[in-house]
Amino acid sequence: MDIFQIIGFIGMIFIVWAYYILQMGKYTHDSLFYQLLNLIGAVLLLISLCVHFNLGSFVIEVFWIIITLYGMYKNKKEKKNN
């Protein structure tokens, strides 16, 4: 296992952890912690995929990052308006 596979594995742990805490009701979908776990996990997986490329996985991680950034922007905007 090389360093990029380890980085990707850590990214996968972050994403699975985010999903777990969401399902357990410990955090909500709009919590910053949940969103950061998703974002960091996707970025780490994307780094891994730049070395061990897989088109399907690469595309899903790009969308994961875009959607997470949109959610973070939307939450910040909503908090500003309140």
Side-chain angles (χ1 to χ4, degrees), residues 25-75:
K26 295 179 186 260
Y27 290 89
T28 61
H29 71 281
D30 59 349
S31 84
L32 183 60
F33 183 69
Y34 168 76
Q35 292 172 330
L36 285 173
L37 281 176
N38 268 316
L39 181 61
I40 293 167
V43 168
L44 292 174
L45 279 165
L46 200 61
I47 290 168
S48 172
L49 287 167
C50 286
V51 174
H52 302 285
F53 191 75
N54 175 302
L55 181 60
S57 296
F58 186 87
V59 171
I60 199 168
E61 293 311 320
V62 169
F63 277 106
W64 202 271
I65 291 168
I66 291 168
I67 292 167
T68 300
L69 289 172
Y70 169 74
M72 292 172 83
Y73 168 78
K74 182 179 162 192
N75 290 338

Side-chain angles (χ1 to χ4, degrees), residues 10-37:
I10 293 168
M12 176 275 305
I13 290 170
F14 274 52
I15 290 174
V16 170
W17 183 20
Y19 187 61
Y20 174 74
I21 65 172
L22 181 69
Q23 294 304 312
M24 295 303 294
K26 295 179 186 260
Y27 290 89
T28 61
H29 71 281
D30 59 349
S31 84
L32 183 60
F33 183 69
Y34 168 76
Q35 292 172 330
L36 285 173
L37 281 176

